[in-house]
Amino acid sequence: MIVVTGGAGFIGSNLIESLNQDGIFDVMVVDRLGENFRNLCDLTFADFMPPDDFIRAIEVNRGALPEKIDAIFHQGACADTTCDDGAYMMENNFTFSKAVLHFALSRKIPFVYASSAAVYGASNNFAPSRENERPLNLYALSKLAFDNHVRAIIDTIQTTVVGLRYFNVYGPREAHKHKMASMPYQLYRQLKQTGRARLFKGADGYRDGDQRRDFVFVGDVVRVNRALASGPPLRGIFNVGTGKARAFNDVANLLIRQIGAGAIDYVPFPESLAGRYQSFTEADLTGLRNAGYDAAFTNLEDGIASSVAAWNRED
């Protein structure tokens, strides 16, 4: 069996879809269900547990879990970058993650988990080393705290434990995320509903709409997860992005081209995001390439085209 925490979420459900496409259906979904239930309707999985039941099974009643687990893909988290409830954030993103990690270690199960490029925060250097990590919000801090826990014990680990620092992931199955959805998806919704894409006016030395992010297609993220979980034992924290930053203007114009209509409006940068916003991100892929992952990443043009086709079907 393969366990996917956050299995009804954006990346988790795409991961299960990929497993299903390869004939793998012995999957346990661990998640809280709400609007995200739609992501599971076309997928096949053998078992389901809410997170509280899963933790109870790990800590008290291990007989509730299969004896043979081939991998744990830990994608579940509170991903709300505006959340200011420190106790809630740390319980979900640190304490829960630590319990699942140590269960995986006790069973010698490959463990691949979602970290985040948000840990770099105010930094302009995106290599995964301590001097570059400058979180700007609680979400980023919670992700960094777990990364540091992994680092503290990594020399004692014999099995696969891999943290993946996702950059700006976009693609199918993210509609339920609403305000936390990717910028490509949010701009797609704006264009479909109003015919106008809203981008920030110039800030942090960037011209209108020229703030830049490393936008990575969710299919690539899934492929990295599966490749690193199935290979020889591997330990480390790696970036997952294309390695090439692109402007928000590029995203909006590609969406307008795919949709066939629309225009861009530039709006003032909100004061509420001052000091909490990354105007530039670009993955340093040196570590990932050195770990043996050499596949090419989807360019923005092709990723947006695939995403718009999927989003149109989801509407």
Side-chain angles (χ1 to χ4, degrees):
M1 174 168 280
I2 292 174
V3 174
V4 183
T5 74
F10 171 34
I11 295 171
S13 61
N14 277 283
L15 182 51
I16 296 171
E17 179 183 38
S18 172
L19 292 169
N20 284 178
Q21 287 170 348
D22 286 342
I24 300 170
F25 307 107
D26 193 16
V27 177
M28 174 185 285
V29 174
V30 178
D31 213 336
R32 296 182 178 91
L33 293 185
E35 189 177 344
N36 58 355
F37 87 89
R38 293 180 176 85
N39 282 338
L40 297 177
C41 291
D42 62 336
L43 304 179
T44 301
F45 50 96
D47 205 351
F48 175 89
M49 278 193 179
D52 292 345
D53 290 355
F54 186 61
I55 287 296
R56 253 191 313 275
I58 285 174
E59 297 178 343
V60 180
N61 181 22
R62 294 198 176 187
L65 295 171
E67 186 60 35
K68 181 170 171 40
I69 298 175
D70 297 310
I72 297 175
F73 293 100
H74 179 38
Q75 308 296 315
C78 172
D80 186 350
T81 58
T82 65
C83 175
D84 289 325
D85 186 337
Y88 177 81
M89 186 68 76
M90 293 302 286
E91 176 65 28
N92 278 271
N93 294 2
F94 180 76
T95 305
F96 183 91
S97 298
K98 192 165 68 168
V100 180
L101 165 65
H102 286 276
F103 168 72
L105 293 175
S106 73
R107 290 271 197 98
K108 296 182 169 54
I109 302 167
F111 178 80
V112 180
Y113 73 92
S115 182
S116 173
V119 303
Y120 298 115
S123 178
N124 287 316
N125 191 322
F126 301 98
S129 57
R130 193 65 187 93
E131 65 271 16
N132 300 329
E133 296 157 358
R134 300 165 61 188
L136 293 171
N137 51 54
L138 273 173
Y139 166 74
L141 177 64
S142 70
K143 288 295 189 179
L144 179 58
F146 185 63
D147 283 350
N148 285 336
H149 177 71
V150 170
R151 285 167 165 162
I153 64 172
I154 202 161
D155 290 340
T156 70
I157 296 172
Q158 304 301 316
T159 50
T160 289
V161 173
V162 168
L164 299 178
R165 288 185 173 171
Y166 301 149
F167 278 65
N168 294 89
V169 188
Y170 67 94
R173 301 179 184 271
E174 60 172 311
H176 67 283
K177 295 185 68 175
H178 298 295
K179 68 176 182 177
M180 289 298 115
S182 71
M183 276 303 299
Y185 182 73
Q186 293 191 46
L187 294 172
Y188 165 83
R189 296 302 322 158
Q190 291 170 20
L191 286 163
K192 292 288 278 190
Q193 292 168 3
T194 70
R196 317 290 294 187
R198 297 188 300 276
L199 300 180
F200 291 147
K201 290 184 176 180
D204 292 338
Y206 292 89
R207 296 179 181 177
D208 293 354
D210 201 41
Q211 297 89 348
R212 294 171 181 265
R213 295 276 180 89
D214 190 333
F215 298 100
V216 57
F217 182 59
V218 69
D220 293 320
V221 171
V222 166
R223 283 185 281 275
V224 173
N225 270 268
R226 294 190 61 189
L228 299 192
S230 61
L234 179 65
R235 292 159 292 279
I237 296 169
F238 308 106
N239 290 332
V240 179
T242 66
K244 183 176 182 180
R246 297 289 298 269
F248 288 121
N249 281 323
D250 292 341
V251 176
N253 283 317
L254 287 168
L255 287 165
I256 290 167
R257 188 180 310 161
Q258 287 295 322
I259 292 169
I264 300 172
D265 291 330
Y266 297 103
V267 300
F269 188 85
E271 292 183 9
S272 62
L273 291 180
R276 305 176 68 177
Y277 188 79
Q278 290 176 292
S279 291
F280 177 84
T281 65
E282 186 172 82
D284 182 329
L285 297 180
T286 304
L288 185 66
R289 297 311 193 191
N290 288 342
Y293 189 82
D294 58 5
F297 284 85
T298 304
N299 64 40
L300 187 64
E301 287 75 10
D302 291 341
I304 291 291
S306 294
S307 297
V308 169
W311 294 333
N312 285 340
R313 291 192 298 270
E314 292 171 2
D315 279 348

